[in-house]
Amino acid sequence: MRVLVTRRWPEAVERALGERFEVILNDTDKPLSQAELAAAMGEFDVLAPTVSDCIDADVIGGGDRVKLIANYGVGFDHIDLAAAKAKGIAVSNTPGVLTDATADLALTLILMAARRAGEGERELRSGQWTGWRPTHLIGSALRGKVLGVVGFGRIGVATAERAKHGFGMTIAYYARGPKPEAEALDAEFCAELEDLLGKSDFVSLHVPGGGDTANLIDAAALAAMKPGSYLINTARGGVVDHDALADALKSGHLAGAGLDVYPHEPQVPEALLDLENVVLLPHLGSANAETREAMGMRALANIEAFAKGGDLPDPVA
Ligand code: NAP
């Protein structure tokens, strides 16, 4: 069975894959072009892409050999599932193993935004720091503040747990229906997004990207947020209208934001780059050694199950 891995994976996973299959790795880690991805569809049995690859209908239509797209990552909005399904191609992902890492990063962004850590570091490194004073770079406390979680799945719940048990925050959430995990967190269910936005001091986004959630946080949603509140996004860039976000940050309606993801990565919306009150991280949600290896092993488990003709552990289509 021939497997194409589109980017560098952790060494241990690449080794394990190589012991089991005929694998083409990407030693240069340079992203493949759309034409190269399309050609791969006719040359391999398994395509193992990640979020930086756009597996659209043109790519999927590029050949008839691939029968499994084994994504490295939990999000799959970069893969055209309908096109894959139409060609009988299975799709798998790597859920669960990156929940802790991504929730940790959501808290990193909450803390950095609330405590103006990016501003402080920029000030210090540029030689502008004049010393401790009672009114210097004053941020916001977390204890007693409301964290509004949008999308109460694995990462949303893990973020809420950290915020409540670690930092004394109160939890509210918006989902398509009440969730059983809410009880242990004493979390308030909001059936309307606007209701959640109006009562939250911090709003953290944890819905999948794609059609359903595109621009969920648009100008109207931002206007519905509490004055002086913060927006945190570790979900997908397309969930937020970044021009409207920049306006809300410039006007002071929002006190700050913390972002890990952008609509057209690696581009970062120009309007945000000059703003002091937004923390901008380069899609680091799952970026710790343990998690990245576990993600690879999970992708490998799906490829192995496929090779044996068994059920995929993590099917998404
Ligand atoms: P998950 O367990 O599937 O959680 C997603 C939740 O969003 C589900 O509970 C789902 O509700 C809810 N949802 C979906 N559409 C919604 C809508 N229109 N309105 C309200 N709620 C909606 O997924 P996860 O493992 O927590 O991951 C969430 C997302 O995080 C991924 O899809 C990925 O894009 C992103 N992510 C980013 C990073 C990073 O590096 N920054 C890392 C990992 C993941 P139901 O329960 O009703 O289906």
Side-chain angles (χ1 to χ4, degrees):
M1 229 187 54
R2 298 194 80 219
V3 179
L4 177 68
V5 175
T6 64
R7 302 299 298 265
R8 286 299 311 268
W9 283 11
E11 217 178 304
V13 190
E14 290 190 342
R15 208 169 34 247
L17 264 171
E19 285 163 5
R20 292 165 175 78
F21 306 108
E22 185 187 337
V23 182
I24 301 298
L25 301 171
N26 182 349
D27 292 334
T28 65
D29 205 19
K30 203 173 138 233
L32 302 185
S33 68
Q34 292 307 100
E36 287 169 327
L37 288 169
M41 296 300 292
E43 295 163 14
F44 294 86
D45 302 289
V46 176
L47 179 68
T50 189
V51 63
S52 61
D53 301 304
C54 174
I55 312 298
D56 59 16
D58 286 344
V59 165
I60 288 170
D64 293 325
R65 184 164 167 185
V66 165
K67 286 288 172 260
L68 171 67
I69 298 174
N71 188 53
Y72 180 100
V74 67
F76 45 80
D77 53 300
H78 56 291
I79 300 171
D80 188 329
L81 293 185
K85 191 172 179 194
K87 289 192 74 179
I89 300 170
V91 179
S92 63
N93 67 344
T94 64
V97 291
L98 36 52
T99 298
D100 281 338
T102 311
D104 289 350
L105 199 87
L107 262 301
T108 303
L109 286 171
I110 290 172
L111 285 162
M112 286 185 74
R115 300 302 300 275
R116 304 175 65 176
E119 279 178 80
E121 209 205 6
R122 284 190 292 279
E123 181 188 85
L124 181 148
R125 284 179 183 273
S126 64
Q128 303 299 308
W129 182 36
T130 56
W132 194 94
R133 56 194 190 276
T135 55
H136 180 221
L137 282 180
I138 300 305
S140 165
L142 299 188
R143 183 166 298 280
K145 300 289 170 66
V146 177
L147 174 68
V149 179
V150 178
F152 212 56
R154 287 173 294 254
I155 299 169
V157 169
T159 300
E161 285 170 352
R162 284 157 172 73
K164 182 172 179 73
H165 301 310
F167 297 95
M169 298 182 81
T170 299
I171 310 300
Y173 70 102
Y174 166 72
R176 296 184 283 206
K179 299 280 178 184
E181 296 87 346
E183 199 179 324
L185 289 163
D186 201 14
E188 179 188 356
F189 171 59
C190 297
E192 300 297 331
L193 178 59
E194 205 179 323
D195 179 26
L196 180 93
L197 298 175
K199 67 174 53 155
S200 301
D201 300 295
F202 293 80
V203 172
S204 191
L205 306 178
H206 299 287
V207 289
D212 275 2
T213 59
N215 276 344
L216 185 69
I217 305 299
D218 59 8
L222 290 161
M225 285 178 69
K226 203 168 158 177
S229 61
Y230 297 80
L231 180 72
I232 306 300
N233 188 12
T234 57
R236 281 291 179 264
V239 179
V240 175
D241 176 341
H242 286 81
D243 289 334
L245 174 62
D247 289 343
L249 288 164
K250 270 185 220 156
S251 74
H253 174 59
L254 293 193
L259 309 178
D260 188 43
V261 285
Y262 310 90
H264 305 291
E265 296 176 6
Q267 289 168 46
V268 177
E270 197 70 33
L272 296 174
L273 288 169
D274 292 333
L275 296 179
E276 284 292 348
N277 56 347
V278 57
V279 179
L280 302 169
L281 295 184
H283 204 147
L284 294 179
S286 63
N288 68 44
E290 296 83 352
T291 299
R292 288 287 167 86
E293 191 168 313
M295 289 164 68
M297 291 304 182
R298 193 77 177 231
L300 171 57
N302 280 278
I303 297 169
E304 279 189 312
F306 169 78
K308 288 181 188 146
D311 290 341
L312 298 179
D314 307 302
V316 295

